[in-house]
Amino acid sequence: MNEAPSRRVIFLSGDLMFASRVRGAAETAGFAFEFGGSLPEGDLSSVRFVILDLSTRSGLVPNLVTEVAQRCCEAKLMAYGPHVQIARLKEAREAGVPVVLTRGQFDGALATLFQ
């Protein structure tokens, strides 16, 4: 029998190197980790975190807040990006992303983010 994981993290990014750090933190906290360019098809009810990398996937911002609310309403949505990409950070906040961090802030929070 193939059971869905009870808690999942979806990491929307194009940065494979940084994804390994996020994967490590998520898996250490007991989450299944999924990496991709958009929300996957299918049941997302077990998703607890959706993390958006604004440096590689900022084009998802306009629709992502609504999509997360409709498809995985228990998930905490957050976005991060380089501190120099002020417009992308601002756009994410204005679109309704509840947590928007600089990459440094996000990286610094990884040790406790999923606890």
Side-chain angles (χ1 to χ4, degrees):
M1 178 186 258
N2 219 1
E3 291 185 31
S6 60
R7 301 181 316 157
R8 295 160 58 195
V9 171
I10 296 178
F11 184 60
L12 304 174
S13 177
D15 185 344
L16 293 170
M17 296 296 288
F18 194 58
S20 66
R21 287 185 45 74
V22 179
R23 175 188 297 272
E27 290 178 349
T28 296
F31 288 87
F33 179 85
E34 296 177 35
F35 176 79
S38 62
L39 287 179
E41 295 299 319
D43 181 12
L44 299 179
S45 62
S46 63
V47 174
R48 295 297 172 259
F49 290 89
V50 174
I51 303 168
L52 177 65
D53 177 355
L54 295 171
S55 67
T56 64
R57 298 292 184 254
S58 65
L60 298 175
V61 169
N63 299 318
L64 192 61
V65 173
T66 302
E67 191 174 1
V68 167
Q70 292 173 347
R71 298 190 58 216
C72 45
C73 61
E74 297 294 320
K76 182 175 184 176
L77 173 61
M78 60 180 60
Y80 74 92
H83 71 277
V84 295
Q85 293 181 350
I86 298 165
R88 288 183 180 181
L89 297 169
K90 182 180 177 189
E91 176 189 6
R93 284 187 195 99
E94 290 175 353
V97 176
V99 178
V100 179
L101 305 169
T102 65
R103 181 178 167 128
Q105 290 171 321
F106 180 72
D107 189 39
L110 273 178
T112 59
L113 181 67
F114 302 111
Q115 297 174 359

